Amino acid sequence: MDKIIYLDHAATTAVSEEVVNEMLPYFNKMYGNASGLYPLAVQSKNAIENARKKVARAINATPNEIYFLSGGSEGDNLAIKGIVKANRNKGNHIITSKIEHNAVLETCRTLEQEGIKVTYLDVDSDGVVNLEQLRNSITRDTILISIMYANNEIGTIQPVETIGRIARARGVIFHTDAVQAIGNIRIDVRRSYIDSLIMSAHKFYGPKGIGAMYVRKGVEFSKLIDGGHHESNKRAGTENVPGIVGLGKAIESVYNNFYAYNRKLIDIREYYTRKVEKEIPNIKINGHRFNRLAGNMNISFENVKGKELIQELGGRGICVSAGSACNTGQIRPSHVLNAIGLPNELAGAAIRTTFGRENTREEIDYVVGVLKDAVVKLRG
């Protein structure tokens, strides 16, 4: 095969043609600043509010609970720091897990330097948080629980509704990083007792540099960026109208085709996994075998260095990763794989393949053939 085979959709996705077409007019025709009062500006304002409705509809929120920002990292920072700052009089303790994205972990470490106490929950060998430890960690000083909806490296889906119930019963705010979950899981923020949630458009065939945050009405949070009174005075800065329009179209599209899309991802994932299990000995699947994101598979290949395996595949036009795109290229082992109990040798031998709407079984046949040859070569 001469073409590129892209199997790193958890890192980013190509912007779909329908999203591009929706965005284009807002670059050079309907380019007004949404804060203006003349018709050109009102067009932009209406486009933003229409996108806000689409996001709210997708997660069973109301439009006035949706805020647009630059993406997942800003969203986690705004949610966690903003909630802690606004609720500092209620306590000085937050709870998270050891396998969160660095946008959460680094935010928590910054808050620790400011006197906030942080509990980092353990996970089991599948990557599921310890619910008993969660219950026992809540004190009267606990302000916030932040647990991701689904893990970006191993794909494991957390018991979000149970966590939400625990938090609500104890009067603790519950935030979830849903960057990997949007489009792959039917999310209902009401049913799951979610108080705060963030998403990033480029993970579900939208543009980079735009995301959204849901905060339940009545939950107080402080802004991080001072300036104008944009986004209900919660995030200053001229709105990225084309990006917001693209996010709205992308989330609408992915949920309109939710069942067919996810059935295809599961089919491709299982076809790939069965072939790897059959063709390549001495492997280990990381994360829960089935309670995982439809398009995610993370496998360690014993006695192989993951970085070298990725380079071998890349030389044949196959794009995979070692885990989080934010960490790829670093020497240290994945904190997620270490947290589920993998020794450094196996953690360093892992590759993550994440599938998308364009992938085919024919591609998987080629990939597994190349993968088998590469593993034999590297082990030899």
Side-chain angles (χ1 to χ4, degrees):
M1 283 194 181
D2 296 325
K3 71 170 186 174
I4 294 293
I5 299 179
Y6 186 74
L7 302 177
D8 199 19
H9 292 81
T12 196
T13 57
V15 183
S16 69
E17 186 175 351
E18 60 183 341
V19 170
V20 171
N21 291 337
E22 193 94 353
M23 293 170 65
L24 282 176
Y26 294 93
F27 284 107
N28 58 7
K29 293 180 181 178
M30 296 182 284
Y31 54 84
N33 188 315
S35 297
L37 298 176
Y38 40 83
L40 190 65
V42 173
Q43 279 183 325
S44 293
K45 180 65 174 175
N46 289 342
I48 289 173
E49 297 313 312
N50 186 42
R52 203 184 307 277
K53 290 175 183 176
K54 291 177 180 179
V55 174
R57 192 178 306 124
I59 61 173
N60 193 27
T62 58
N64 64 357
E65 295 173 313
I66 304 299
Y67 306 86
F68 293 114
L69 32 68
S70 65
S73 292
E74 183 189 344
D76 280 326
N77 273 265
L78 178 56
I80 297 170
K81 292 176 181 175
I83 288 170
V84 167
K85 183 178 178 181
N87 294 274
R88 192 68 173 80
N89 62 317
K90 298 178 182 178
N92 68 336
H93 177 233
I94 60 180
I95 299 170
T96 188
S97 83
K98 293 179 179 178
I99 64 167
E100 299 297 307
H101 190 279
N102 278 335
V104 170
L105 294 177
E106 293 298 326
T107 298
C108 289
R109 290 177 187 128
T110 296
L111 290 173
E112 283 183 295
Q113 296 173 5
E114 299 173 7
I116 299 297
K117 297 177 181 177
V118 182
T119 297
Y120 298 91
L121 299 177
D122 295 319
V123 295
D124 65 18
S125 59
D126 289 327
V128 180
V129 295
N130 186 321
L131 293 176
E132 191 60 30
Q133 185 186 15
L134 170 63
R135 292 186 181 94
N136 293 336
S137 297
I138 298 173
T139 73
R140 63 181 183 179
D141 290 324
T142 306
I143 305 169
L144 175 71
I145 296 168
S146 179
I147 303 293
M148 67 195 332
Y149 212 117
N151 188 263
N152 51 304
E153 292 192 35
I154 59 175
T156 297
I157 300 168
Q158 299 295 344
V160 169
E161 185 172 339
T162 301
I163 296 169
R165 286 180 181 276
I166 292 169
R168 189 67 58 87
R170 300 289 293 272
V172 178
I173 298 167
F174 174 40
H175 167 68
T176 187
D177 178 331
V179 165
Q180 295 292 333
I182 294 293
N184 295 298
I185 300 172
R186 279 283 186 192
I187 296 176
D188 186 326
V189 294
R190 306 295 181 205
R191 188 181 64 200
S192 298
Y193 302 93
I194 296 169
D195 297 307
S196 172
L197 173 150
I198 59 107
M199 65 182 73
S200 189
H202 77 102
K203 304 294 188 177
F204 47 94
Y205 304 95
K208 297 175 180 66
I210 188 68
M213 181 170 76
Y214 153 80
V215 181
R216 181 172 63 84
K217 186 177 180 180
V219 173
E220 296 297 325
F221 71 103
S222 299
K223 61 183 177 180
L224 300 183
I225 302 175
D226 294 313
H229 296 278
H230 310 84
E231 291 304 295
S232 301
N233 198 29
K234 291 299 186 181
R235 201 258 185 184
T238 301
E239 296 93 342
N240 175 4
V241 181
I244 291 170
V245 168
L247 188 157
K249 182 62 177 178
I251 200 167
E252 178 184 60
S253 176
V254 76
Y255 278 111
N256 281 346
N257 299 286
F258 176 80
Y259 293 108
Y261 171 59
N262 279 275
R263 275 197 302 269
K264 175 177 181 177
L265 293 189
I266 291 171
D267 176 74
I268 292 290
R269 182 194 76 195
E270 291 304 298
Y271 185 69
Y272 166 79
T273 307
R274 288 193 301 269
K275 284 187 74 69
V276 170
E277 288 176 317
K278 181 180 179 181
E279 299 287 336
I280 306 174
N282 302 319
I283 65 166
K284 184 185 184 307
I285 293 173
N286 303 315
H288 196 285
R289 181 62 182 85
F290 298 106
N291 183 35
R292 66 192 303 134
L293 294 170
N296 177 293
M297 183 49 63
N298 187 305
I299 300 177
S300 289
F301 296 84
E302 295 180 19
N303 302 314
V304 170
K305 292 182 179 179
K307 188 173 182 178
E308 294 179 356
L309 188 53
I310 291 167
Q311 291 170 340
E312 288 284 333
L313 296 176
R316 300 286 293 274
I318 301 165
C319 304
V320 300
S321 73
S324 172
C326 306
N327 296 329
T328 298
Q330 295 186 12
I331 302 300
R332 64 177 182 267
S334 158
H335 69 280
V336 174
L337 298 181
N338 283 162
I340 64 173
L342 257 63
N344 286 345
E345 314 87 72
L346 278 180
I351 66 168
R352 179 188 70 176
T353 46
T354 46
F355 309 101
R357 56 174 60 154
E358 77 279 7
N359 294 133
T360 65
R361 286 191 171 204
E362 179 187 19
E363 289 179 334
I364 299 306
D365 290 338
Y366 174 75
V367 168
V368 175
V370 172
L371 185 58
K372 180 180 179 181
D373 291 343
V375 169
V376 169
K377 174 185 174 181
L378 293 172
R379 283 177 177 169

